[in-house]
Amino acid sequence: MTPGALGEVLGLPPIPRGTWAGEALYVSPAALRRGEDPAEMAARLRALPGIAAVRVRPGGFLEIAVAVPGELVTEIGGAVPAVTGRSPWEDLPRTWANPGFVVRYAHVRAVAVQRWAAELGVGGDFRPELLEDRRDRAVLRLLAEVHGRRVSRDPGWAAYAEQLALAYHDAFEGAAALPSGDEEPSGLHAARVRLARAVRDVLAEALAALGETAPERL
């Protein structure tokens, strides 16, 4: 179950909550907004494929756990919006102290993973259930915010892009998307390459909204 599909059922984008280190959770006020009984809506949601649990919280909010959070990357991608606005960041210094560099470098890394994966023969079917490492889940947790930010009056792209970039740098360095040495490409590598593509596309979208064309090299 992806956030986009869940949003279609609920009538509004679900709100990711928590770290996703354990359960991949969303919270939704859909029952309250639609004037429906929260318990009845929860029962309907539990019957949907990909839903692990639904709990009714005090006040009528629904807490929804999805079974395979990695599925959300399948709905990320496509055309990048036109570049608009003015970037809040300077080009220099190109150090970790500059949020603009952190974001641009994360995009460059995600692009490079696609190129290197092709050279190393990483491929095969995407298996989202393999994205279970805490670093993969941290990236997924942030990607889950995209739908809500797109419809928000104040999407906060700059802060969001920095958070996603930092999470991706952690994953890039500690949860390898590419085989090393004599290691054979695996399904996990393929899943992480697909995750990197989603990060690439979302960072490009955020940078475009902030007035920048996402770089492929620095």
Side-chain angles (χ1 to χ4, degrees), residues 80-89 155 157-158 203-214:
V80 175
V83 174
T84 60
R86 181 178 179 182
S87 175
W89 304 309
W157 286 119
L203 288 179
E205 179 179 355
L207 284 165
L210 293 168
E212 294 194 27
T213 299

Side-chain angles (χ1 to χ4, degrees), residues 122 127 130-133 136 176-177 185-194:
V122 178
R127 297 176 57 193
L130 297 178
L131 296 173
E132 285 296 301
D133 185 277
D136 297 325
S186 68
L188 178 57
H189 292 127
R192 286 175 172 164
V193 169
R194 183 66 183 82

Side-chain angles (χ1 to χ4, degrees), residues 20-208:
W20 283 26
E23 283 188 308
L25 292 176
Y26 294 94
V27 173
S28 177
L32 302 175
R33 295 275 185 91
R34 294 164 60 169
E36 296 186 29
D37 181 88
E40 292 181 1
M41 181 176 284
R44 292 201 307 276
L45 290 171
R46 291 187 192 104
L48 297 176
I51 298 295
V54 183
R55 296 178 285 270
V56 180
R57 292 176 48 174
F61 282 74
L62 300 180
E63 186 176 76
I64 305 160
V66 297
V68 185
E71 289 179 344
L72 69 84
V73 305
T74 62
E75 63 183 19
I76 293 176
V80 175
V83 174
T84 60
R86 181 178 179 182
S87 175
W89 304 309
E90 299 295 333
D91 180 48
L92 300 174
R94 293 184 177 179
T95 67
W96 296 106
N98 180 356
F101 169 78
V102 171
V103 174
R104 297 178 195 115
Y105 187 35
H107 183 269
V108 167
R109 279 180 151 179
V111 169
V113 164
Q114 309 307 304
R115 183 172 62 250
W116 296 332
E119 294 173 357
L120 293 170
V122 178
D125 294 336
F126 173 52
R127 297 176 57 193
E129 72 277 7
L130 297 178
L131 296 173
E132 285 296 301
D133 185 277
R134 65 170 180 81
R135 288 156 291 205
D136 297 325
R137 280 193 167 236
V139 174
L140 290 169
R141 164 63 180 78
L142 286 159
L143 290 174
E145 296 184 17
V146 170
H147 286 280
R149 289 183 181 275
R150 285 172 178 161
V151 300
S152 173
R153 294 180 180 177
D154 183 17
W157 286 119
Y160 171 67
E162 185 180 3
Q163 292 169 3
L164 177 58
L166 287 170
Y168 181 64
H169 286 304
D170 188 37
F172 180 92
E173 295 171 5
L178 302 168
S180 61
D182 295 330
E183 186 181 8
E184 290 294 322
S186 68
L188 178 57
H189 292 127
R192 286 175 172 164
V193 169
R194 183 66 183 82
L195 179 64
R197 191 197 314 170
V199 171
R200 177 199 67 185
D201 292 346
V202 170
L203 288 179
E205 179 179 355
L207 284 165

Side-chain angles (χ1 to χ4, degrees), residues 11-24:
L12 67 166
I15 305 165
R17 283 289 183 266
T19 65
W20 283 26
E23 283 188 308

